[in-house]
Amino acid sequence: MIDLSLTDAQLALQKKVCAFADEHILPVAAANDAHHHVDEKIIAGMAREGWLGCTIPPTYGGLGLDYVSLAIIAEEIERGDAAFRTLLSVHLGLNSMALLKFGTEAQKQKFLKPQAQGQTLAAFCLTEPDAGSDVAAMTSTAARQPDGSYRLSGHKRWIGYATMAGHLLVFAKTDPRAGHRGISAFVLERGMAGLTTRDIPHKLGLWASSTGEVFMENVPVPAENRIGAEGHGFKIAMHALDNGRFTVAAGALGTIRACLEHSVAYARQRKTFGQEIGRHQFVQDMIAKMVLNLETSRLLVLQAAWLKNQGRRDTREVSLAKWHATESAFSAANDALQIHGNKGFSHDESPIGRYFRNARAPIIYEGTTQIHKMMQAEHALGYRALNGPPEMVS
Ligand SMILES: Cc1cc2nc3c(=O)[nH]c(=O)nc-3n(C[C@H](O)[C@H](O)[C@H](O)COP(=O)(O)OP(=O)(O)OC[C@H]3O[C@@H](n4cnc5c(N)ncnc54)[C@H](O)[C@@H]3O)c2cc1C
């Protein structure tokens, strides 16, 4: 039985992150966005609170919190600005949580601990110019050397916080003929010879975040930096996505909530034809849709959190939550923009345009909406079992 009530500790956390967003993120969000400024003071604040390692056990420098708490943090941070929830997704959901599951004790001490403490930022490098949804199409290679080390070559693109990360979890082929079974995972450390990064300019949104490229030219990587066995990279990436997508879905609740709150406030204040626009049924239709989508998205996120808290694999439930919540967030932002009329179209008169632009990316990353629809349909049709056989429970 899923109990939806929050514990006292979760309620206190919610209050704290909510206050952090109100005091530190929202007052500077418009300026950070307009100046394409990655605000490292906000990142340092999140690190100080331990949120960048909130679900990592204290032994490895984290807070050891549960997944409902992670969802709370993601939602409140995205209500401020999705740029910082994006960091939580790549640093913690996609990278650190994968190290926790698949890293050796030595790797956890060396890489995970500083990440959980927020001393080193971490990125997740799967996508390439010619390989997005089709992960197995990647052409990055990891050539094994006679001494057991590797040489990595290739180009990763559209990587969150690539230029700021000290540790990059990179996927490359150790056996280019073996399709997805030939992919392996490595931690690359900033400063390694032949490793360079650069930011991608002129993005549609997420202007206060960093999104970049990773270039690897014969980068020497010691065997100790390989995560899991050779050929296990695809499995590691898919597991990582189950956690990353969870944070994306939870974050989307923050966008829906912000759009709903702004829309309600504006609809009760703006008058046309002698009454508040909130009295017009077409406006009520948009508000009602936001309410329904917020509630249904939250239920899907909490269902996934409940499964995760029990250590159960939840690929199917996370996919549903991510698909529905991110589409709902974009729809809420679009409707909020409509409700605000010309003020919604202005950077100076409302924050809605920022939510609208930022809500577009999550429909593309961590599995496009089409990929999630395909996953759900194939599962329903019996062509694949998204949560795997029972012995594969994560
Ligand atoms: C802001 C941003 C941040 C990102 N951050 C990261 C990151 O940190 N790390 C990382 O590794 N990647 C990251 N990505 C990359 C992202 O994960 C990919 O863009 C995504 O997986 C889709 O790949 P693609 O863009 O190459 O599109 P493609 O895979 O080329 O797809 C193009 C279109 O075809 C559709 N399509 C593809 N295959 C099918 C199919 N089988 N059935 C139906 N439709 C299909 C897609 O839905 C899409 O509409 C980021 C992207 C963005 C925009």
Side-chain angles (χ1 to χ4, degrees), residues 90 124 126-127 132-133 158-160 206 361 364-366 368 370 374:
V90 298
F124 177 83
L126 192 62
T127 303
S133 309
W158 287 98
I159 305 304
L206 292 172
I364 297 171
Y365 61 54
E366 303 215 26
T368 64
Q370 290 71 35
M374 181 185 78

Side-chain angles (χ1 to χ4, degrees), residues 40-162:
E40 296 194 50
K41 273 200 299 208
I42 292 173
I43 296 175
M46 289 170 67
R48 239 184 343 266
E49 295 292 351
W51 298 333
L52 294 182
C54 61
T55 45
I56 304 297
T59 348
Y60 303 116
L63 298 181
L65 299 181
D66 72 314
Y67 285 89
V68 172
S69 302
L70 173 57
I72 288 170
I73 295 171
E75 174 178 341
E76 296 301 332
I77 294 291
E78 178 155 333
R79 190 180 60 83
D81 194 316
F84 304 102
R85 193 275 307 146
T86 306
L87 175 64
L88 200 64
S89 296
V90 298
H91 173 91
L92 175 62
L94 292 170
N95 185 314
S96 301
M97 295 300 286
L99 292 188
L100 179 66
K101 178 151 176 77
F102 297 101
T104 62
E105 184 57 31
Q107 289 169 335
K108 287 178 194 170
Q109 291 297 338
K110 183 170 179 196
F111 303 125
L112 180 58
K113 212 166 185 178
Q115 290 178 197
Q117 291 167 335
Q119 291 160 2
T120 308
L121 294 186
F124 177 83
C125 312
L126 192 62
T127 303
E128 299 184 358
D130 292 321
S133 309
D134 185 3
V135 170
M138 72 169 61
T139 55
S140 290
T141 54
R144 195 167 190 161
Q145 305 301 298
D147 66 357
S149 69
Y150 295 86
R151 293 270 174 169
L152 265 70
S153 297
H155 177 194
K156 298 288 178 181
R157 196 164 152 73
W158 287 98
I159 305 304
Y161 291 85

Side-chain angles (χ1 to χ4, degrees), residues 63-388:
L63 298 181
L65 299 181
D66 72 314
Y67 285 89
V68 172
S69 302
L70 173 57
I72 288 170
I73 295 171
E75 174 178 341
E76 296 301 332
I77 294 291
E78 178 155 333
R79 190 180 60 83
D81 194 316
F84 304 102
R85 193 275 307 146
T86 306
L87 175 64
L88 200 64
S89 296
V90 298
H91 173 91
L92 175 62
L94 292 170
N95 185 314
S96 301
M97 295 300 286
L99 292 188
L100 179 66
K101 178 151 176 77
F102 297 101
T104 62
E105 184 57 31
Q107 289 169 335
K108 287 178 194 170
Q109 291 297 338
K110 183 170 179 196
F111 303 125
L112 180 58
K113 212 166 185 178
Q115 290 178 197
Q117 291 167 335
Q119 291 160 2
T120 308
L121 294 186
F124 177 83
C125 312
L126 192 62
T127 303
E128 299 184 358
D130 292 321
S133 309
D134 185 3
V135 170
M138 72 169 61
T139 55
S140 290
T141 54
R144 195 167 190 161
Q145 305 301 298
D147 66 357
S149 69
Y150 295 86
R151 293 270 174 169
L152 265 70
S153 297
H155 177 194
K156 298 288 178 181
R157 196 164 152 73
W158 287 98
I159 305 304
Y161 291 85
T163 57
M164 297 175 71
H167 297 158
L168 299 101
L169 184 58
V170 172
F171 297 85
K173 283 190 172 162
T174 36
D175 183 354
R177 291 155 306 170
H180 70 274
R181 290 196 179 81
I183 299 171
S184 302
F186 301 87
V187 174
L188 268 61
E189 300 165 67
R190 184 156 308 274
M192 281 179 162
L195 172 68
T196 52
T197 57
R198 75 169 177 217
D199 268 320
I200 295 174
H202 315 308
K203 293 177 293 190
L204 177 71
L206 292 172
W207 292 344
S209 87
S210 150
T211 316
E213 297 183 87
V214 178
F215 302 92
M216 299 173 289
E217 286 178 40
N218 233 6
V219 182
V221 180
E224 305 89 82
N225 285 36
R226 194 190 67 228
I227 305 297
E230 262 194 20
H232 284 192
F234 187 80
K235 188 176 103 182
I236 294 171
M238 294 306 118
H239 174 88
L241 284 166
D242 281 349
N243 285 321
R245 287 167 179 168
F246 175 76
T247 61
V248 174
L253 302 176
T255 292
I256 306 172
R257 226 176 87 213
C259 290
L260 176 60
E261 286 166 6
H262 280 288
S263 297
V264 164
Y266 188 71
R268 297 198 61 170
Q269 168 243 311
R270 176 72 173 177
K271 289 198 172 110
T272 65
F273 305 99
Q275 56 182 351
E276 292 173 0
I277 60 169
R279 297 281 177 194
H280 301 310
Q281 284 188 356
F282 282 129
V283 172
Q284 290 181 354
D285 177 79
M286 292 188 269
I287 302 253
K289 215 166 61 187
M290 286 183 217
V291 172
L292 177 66
N293 282 340
L294 178 61
E295 298 285 335
T296 50
S297 299
R298 192 184 298 293
L299 287 172
L300 287 171
V301 167
L302 289 175
Q303 171 177 251
W306 182 74
L307 288 166
K308 283 186 187 299
N309 282 341
Q310 296 183 51
R312 285 166 63 179
R313 185 164 169 187
D314 62 353
T315 303
R316 188 184 84 87
E317 292 77 10
V318 163
S319 158
L320 281 175
K322 193 273 180 187
W323 164 23
H324 181 63
T326 58
E327 287 286 351
S328 297
F330 186 63
S331 159
N334 190 31
D335 283 345
L337 210 152
Q338 195 65 17
I339 289 170
H340 282 74
N342 56 24
K343 291 173 189 67
F345 208 69
S346 159
H347 283 322
D348 302 324
E349 292 179 69
S350 91
I352 301 301
R354 178 167 55 82
Y355 288 112
F356 176 77
R357 284 182 286 99
N358 289 351
R360 193 60 187 83
I363 298 172
I364 297 171
Y365 61 54
E366 303 215 26
T368 64
T369 285
Q370 290 71 35
I371 291 300
H372 288 290
K373 284 183 181 174
M374 181 185 78
M375 287 166 67
Q376 295 300 331
E378 289 185 353
H379 182 91
L381 287 159
Y383 300 154
R384 68 202 275 197
L386 287 180
N387 288 353

